[in-house]
């Protein structure tokens, strides 16, 4: 018998694929296709997640375009150099705006394009006034009497009477320990009712803020805290 004819007959004699076998083969092919799609989808999700994480990191509130500085440190760096008037001149201007008054507090405020010192002064009877001083030219604005009751006035008058250390002396004690720019001084009391001056000193190397609590009767440092935020 002819070999080629035998081959043709052999192919004709083969039974056709059953319906079940065909379905299995189709399912296997479809499964392979889906697996490929799933793998591609997973990879796409991973790439999308990485891109989203990078975007969040770049727009985070603590992220800074200025190296590794935090938001607070960056704000200090922007504000402090803009103050051409120091705390001493600001306190002097505020005291001059209210006759027979003494300094109670002063703090440097923003924004950087118009920095100001917010000061508080009080007379011997504890009547307090708020005075805003331009940090660029040192000019004091209109003094505004604070809304206080009798107890508040008596407490403030008592603190002023007990505080034998001036805010300038307290600031000198603070900067003698940490060199920097004084950005705030405030009269307060300790738990034992002893008056104290709280002094903020900003170091321009790292733009950290160090707060010193200084006994307002003997200039001893009661507490020192570095704010690195």
């Amino acid at each position: 018998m002819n070999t080629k004819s035998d081959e043709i007959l052999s192919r004709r004699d083969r039974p056709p694929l059953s319906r079940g076998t065909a379905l299995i083969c189709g399912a296997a092919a479809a499964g392979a296709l889906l697996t490929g799609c799933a793998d591609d989808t997973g990879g796409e999700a991973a790439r999308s997640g990485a891109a989203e994480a990078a975007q969040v990191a770049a727009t985070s509130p603590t992220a800074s375009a200025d190296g590794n500085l935090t938001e607070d440190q960056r704000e200090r760096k922007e504000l402090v150099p803009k103050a051409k008037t120091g705390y001493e001149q600001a306190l002097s201007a505020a005291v001059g705006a209210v006759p027979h008054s003494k300094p109670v507090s002063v703090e440097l405020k923003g924004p950087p394009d118009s920095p100001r010192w917010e000061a508080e002064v009080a007379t011997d009877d504890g009547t307090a006034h708020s005075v805003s001083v331009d940090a660029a030219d040192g000019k004091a604005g209109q003094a505004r009497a604070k809304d206080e009751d009798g107890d508040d006035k008596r407490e403030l008058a008592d603190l002023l009477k007990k505080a034998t250390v001036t805010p300038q002396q307290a600031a000198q004690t603070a900067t003698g320990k940490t060199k920097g720019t004084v950005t705030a001084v405030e009269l307060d009391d300790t738990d034992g009712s002893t008056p104290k001056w709280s002094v903020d000193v900003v170091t321009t190397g790292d733009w950290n803020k160090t707060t010193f609590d200084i006994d307002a009767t003997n200039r001893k440092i009661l507490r020192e805290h570095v704010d690195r935020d």
Side-chain angles (χ1 to χ4, degrees), residues 15-210:
L17 291 175
S18 67
R19 181 176 179 82
T21 304
L23 288 175
I24 291 173
C25 292
L33 180 61
L34 288 175
T35 301
C37 292
D39 290 344
D40 184 64
T41 302
E44 187 66 28
R47 290 190 292 272
S48 177
E52 183 178 355
Q55 183 177 5
V56 170
T59 57
S60 172
T62 57
S64 170
D66 200 357
N68 295 322
L69 297 181
T70 66
E71 184 175 352
D72 287 345
Q73 289 169 335
R74 189 173 66 253
E75 288 177 356
R76 295 178 197 127
K77 184 177 181 179
E78 293 173 353
L79 176 61
V80 173
K82 298 296 180 64
K84 305 306 179 184
T85 298
Y87 84 95
E88 289 184 90
Q89 187 177 347
L91 278 179
S92 179
V95 168
V98 180
H100 311 295
S101 65
K102 296 179 180 179
V104 176
S105 68
V106 66
E107 183 177 5
L108 182 62
K109 298 281 191 177
D113 58 351
S114 56
R116 68 191 187 282
W117 291 97
E118 290 296 339
E120 180 180 325
V121 298
T123 52
D124 287 339
D125 65 353
T127 300
H129 292 76
S130 297
V131 183
S132 183
V133 180
D134 192 312
D137 58 21
K139 293 182 179 179
Q142 184 69 36
R144 305 178 303 277
K146 297 189 68 175
D147 185 14
E148 299 175 295
D149 58 26
D151 290 339
D152 290 336
K153 290 183 178 182
R154 283 189 290 273
E155 288 177 6
L156 182 54
D158 186 53
L159 282 178
L160 289 170
K161 185 178 180 179
K162 291 179 179 178
T164 56
V165 174
T166 67
Q168 292 84 354
Q169 290 172 330
Q172 289 171 3
T173 299
T175 53
K177 183 71 181 297
T178 299
K179 302 298 182 184
T181 301
V182 175
T183 58
V185 184
E186 181 180 8
L187 182 64
D188 203 347
D189 61 349
T190 64
D191 294 337
S193 297
T194 300
K196 69 176 181 180
W197 289 103
S198 290
V199 183
D200 288 347
V201 179
V202 173
T203 47
T204 55
D206 52 19
W207 301 103
N208 287 335
K209 179 181 71 176
T210 303

